[in-house]
């Protein structure tokens, strides 16, 4: 008959659990090393992308500053020209108004002349008929 001591069985079970645990830790560390390598590659790529992005952002900032200055200059020029354009527009409107008044007055004079001629002609005809 085989005599098995409980204490010995427990010790053997602890040894087996320790071996399984060590194997598990070895696999875990192997996976962790792979993950760290991939993470480092990603971080390097991110660093490169960040540098490129920062460079492009600086370039765009310069472009935006230049465009902003140009638009500001154009706005100032338009604002200054707006006074000139407004003055010219007022002059044109006034000239048009005066021209229309002159035309209207000359048309009125022509109509009055025409009416007088008609009236004179009627009077002459009427006067001739009386004779």
């Amino acid at each position: 008959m085989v005599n098995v001591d409980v204490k010995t069985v427990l010790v053997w079970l602890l040894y087996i659990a320790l071996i399984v645990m060590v194997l598990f830790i070895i696999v875990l560390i192997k996976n962790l090393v792979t993950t760290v390598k991939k993470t480092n590659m990603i971080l390097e790529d991110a660093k490169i992308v960040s540098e490129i992005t920062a460079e492009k952002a600086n370039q765009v900032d310069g472009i935006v500053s230049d465009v902003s200055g140009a638009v500001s200059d154009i706005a100032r020029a338009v604002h200054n020209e707006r006074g000139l354009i407004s003055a010219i527009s007022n002059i044109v409107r006034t000239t048009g108004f005066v021209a229309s008044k002159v035309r209207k007055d000359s048309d009125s004079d022509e109509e009055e002349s025409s009416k007088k001629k008609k009236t004179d002609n009627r009077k002459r005809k009427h006067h001739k008929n009386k004779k």
Side-chain angles (χ1 to χ4, degrees):
M1 186 149 160
V2 178
N3 228 352
V4 181
D5 187 18
V6 175
K7 188 176 181 181
T8 307
V9 171
L10 288 174
V11 171
W12 280 104
L13 285 175
L14 282 174
Y15 285 141
I16 293 172
L18 185 64
I19 292 171
V20 168
M21 190 194 250
V22 168
L23 291 174
F24 181 76
I25 290 174
I26 289 172
V27 171
L28 181 68
I29 290 174
K30 180 185 172 215
N31 289 338
L32 184 63
V33 167
T34 305
T35 302
V36 168
K37 286 181 182 178
K38 287 181 181 179
T39 303
N40 284 337
M41 288 180 2
I42 291 171
L43 289 175
E44 287 174 14
D45 289 344
K47 180 181 174 186
I48 292 170
V49 169
S50 295
E51 289 172 354
I52 292 171
T53 303
E55 181 181 325
K56 296 295 181 183
N58 288 334
Q59 289 175 353
V60 169
D61 186 41
I63 292 169
V64 168
S65 296
D66 292 344
V67 169
S68 174
V71 169
S72 175
D73 292 344
I74 290 170
R76 271 190 247 114
V78 167
H79 181 68
N80 291 339
E81 294 296 321
R82 189 175 293 153
L84 177 64
I85 291 170
S86 177
I88 291 171
S89 174
N90 287 336
I91 292 170
V92 168
R93 269 191 257 130
T94 304
T95 305
F97 179 72
V98 169
S100 70
K101 283 293 189 184
V102 168
R103 275 189 228 136
K104 191 174 185 180
D105 289 344
S106 68
D107 289 345
S108 296
D109 290 344
E110 287 176 12
E111 286 178 15
E112 287 179 19
S113 300
S114 168
K115 285 181 183 178
K116 283 183 182 179
K117 286 181 185 177
K118 288 180 184 177
T119 306
D120 289 344
N121 286 339
R122 283 185 197 154
K123 284 182 183 177
R124 283 185 200 154
K125 284 183 186 179
H126 186 58
H127 194 50
K128 282 184 185 179
N129 288 338
K130 282 186 180 182
K131 288 184 182 180

